[in-house]
Amino acid sequence: MVGVGPEGIESALARVSIVNFHGAVILDQFVRPREKVTDYRTWVSGVREEDLRSGEPPICIPMPL
């Protein structure tokens, strides 16, 4: 989650991670929030500005089968 809006007090999704029962990664994808990010919360989220530059638009998350 990253902060959006004035002072970054609202939260928005910035990364989707899915693992199976055994801990194997199924999906790990950055997604760009629609709103302007004002607080990356890197110390908690690990998300950096450069991660979201290459992130997928919020409605385009490829799902492997």
Side-chain angles (χ1 to χ4, degrees), residues 2-31:
V2 293
V4 297
E7 300 177 27
I9 58 174
E10 298 213 15
S11 296
L13 181 70
R15 187 175 193 172
V16 176
S17 300
I18 301 172
V19 296
N20 68 13
F21 179 78
H22 303 289
V25 176
I26 304 299
L27 175 72
D28 189 20
Q29 182 76 46
F30 290 105
V31 291

Side-chain angles (χ1 to χ4, degrees), residues 4 11-12 26 30 33 35-39 43 48 53 55 57:
V4 297
S11 296
I26 304 299
F30 290 105
E35 302 89 350
K36 181 180 184 331
V37 176
T38 53
D39 184 357
W43 66 278
R48 301 167 300 167
R53 277 191 225 128

